[in-house]
């Protein structure tokens, strides 16, 4: 039986950075933010028999200060594994990084996921990344670095391991993922080029990892294309409706199709049945791009109902 195993909360789309590849178009000017009441209320309504992980992301979660600490504390006390996704912008000074991470460790933070790559480098130095990575590890927080790559990227898993002095078999997760031409990247990075390795197949996130967006919308997946009606399962989220909304989404034939076959398979079906032209696989950066085409292109979306 299909059911959610993780729950992500986009606590804000405000960010000190304005990276060219940001699918949420986060920036210092973006003011979308969830209230502490909604964040804590959502956590309280999660099904502890199904959900294992609660992840706090954005935007930049560390901008929430004490609210973030309180949210981690509540999720931890309820028995969830907790994760924060961050740019580690606060790591320039080790004392500051230590203070902030110690507070979260005391609250029960289990995992820290650092986003850093060629696009983040414009705003955050590798020194900050190394500081936060090493301090988090010293506190016993499981720490990963996630790299988004285009065909022209200079930062890779091997390079980051070398810069951090990590052995290849150290067990420290340094993950590479292909650039998605969504959000700001759709216009800012049109000439970036696609790397050869990218995923076009069953989507492992739809229905298994619902997300509460910083626009107060409950989404069926990780939310890389947040303004998508077909992936929105509650347009005006209220914590009391969380379980009802998820239960309804789990019955959706289309969402189940995306999970089992993936968005490109749906595009192929529409192409074969209705003769609608679709992009070649070689022109699509991954599942999220395929989903954007599926839901946002009028020629294909009209056949989803």
């Amino acid at each position: 039986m299909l059911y959610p195993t993780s729950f992500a909360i986009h606590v804000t789309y405000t960010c000190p950075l304005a990276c060219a590849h940001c699918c949420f178009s986060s920036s210092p000017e973006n003011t979308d933010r969830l209230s502490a009441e909604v964040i804590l209320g959502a956590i309280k309504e999660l099904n502890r028999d199904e959900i294992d992980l609660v992840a706090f992301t954005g935007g930049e979660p560390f901008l929430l200060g004490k609210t973030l600490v309180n949210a981690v504390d509540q999720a931890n006390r309820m028995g969830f594994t907790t994760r924060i996704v961050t740019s580690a912008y606060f790591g320039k000074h080790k004392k500051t990084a230590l203070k902030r991470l110690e507070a979260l460790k005391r609250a029960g933070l289990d995992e820290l996921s650092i986003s850093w790559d060629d696009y983040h480098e414009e705003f955050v130095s590798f020194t900050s990344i190394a500081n936060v990575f090493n301090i988090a590890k010293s506190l016993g927080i499981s720490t990963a670095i996630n790299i988004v790559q285009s065909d022209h990227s200079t930062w890779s898993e091997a390079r980051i391991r070398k810069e951090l002095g990590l052995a290849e078999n150290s067990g420290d997760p340094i993950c590479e993922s292909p650039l998605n031409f969504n959000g700001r990247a759709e216009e800012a990075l049109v000439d970036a080029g696609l790397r050869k390795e990218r995923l076009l197949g069953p989507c492992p996130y739809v229905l298994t990892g619902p997300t509460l967006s910083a626009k107060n919308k409950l989404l069926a997946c990780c939310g890389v294309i947040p303004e998508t009606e077909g992936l929105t399962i509650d347009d005006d989220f209220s914590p009391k409706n969380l379980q009802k909304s998820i239960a309804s989404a789990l019955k959706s034939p289309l969402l189940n199709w995306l999970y089992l076959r993936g968005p490109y398979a749906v595009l192929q079906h529409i192409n074969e049945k209705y003769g609608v032209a679709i992009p070649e696989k070689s022109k699509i950066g991954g599942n999220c791009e395929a989903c954007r085409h599926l839901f946002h292109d009028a020629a294909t979306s009209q056949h989803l109902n």
Side-chain angles (χ1 to χ4, degrees), residues 7-24:
F7 190 81
I9 304 176
H10 295 176
V11 293
T12 182
Y13 289 144
T14 307
C15 185
L17 289 53
C19 301
H21 68 331
C22 184
C23 52
F24 305 113

Side-chain angles (χ1 to χ4, degrees), residues 11-80:
V11 293
T12 182
Y13 289 144
T14 307
C15 185
L17 289 53
C19 301
H21 68 331
C22 184
C23 52
F24 305 113
S25 299
S26 296
S27 71
E29 290 74 38
N30 191 326
T31 58
D32 292 323
R33 178 171 176 168
L34 294 173
S35 68
E37 181 182 9
V38 167
I39 295 170
L40 297 176
I43 296 169
K44 288 179 181 178
E45 294 298 326
L46 292 174
N47 186 338
R48 283 170 286 179
D49 294 329
E50 296 178 346
I51 301 291
D52 297 317
L53 170 72
V54 177
F56 302 95
T57 181
E60 178 50 67
F62 274 81
L63 293 177
L64 268 66
K66 185 64 176 177
T67 296
L68 180 63
V69 175
N70 291 340
V72 169
D73 177 68
Q74 177 169 299
N76 173 69
R77 285 188 286 105
M78 290 180 65
F80 298 114

Side-chain angles (χ1 to χ4, degrees), residues 1-7 46-53 205-211 220 243 246-247 250:
M1 180 179 176
L2 184 61
Y3 58 87
T5 57
S6 65
F7 190 81
L46 292 174
N47 186 338
R48 283 170 286 179
D49 294 329
E50 296 178 346
I51 301 291
D52 297 317
L53 170 72
Y205 303 111
V206 65
L207 297 178
T208 65
T211 294
Q243 292 303 324
I246 291 177
L250 288 170

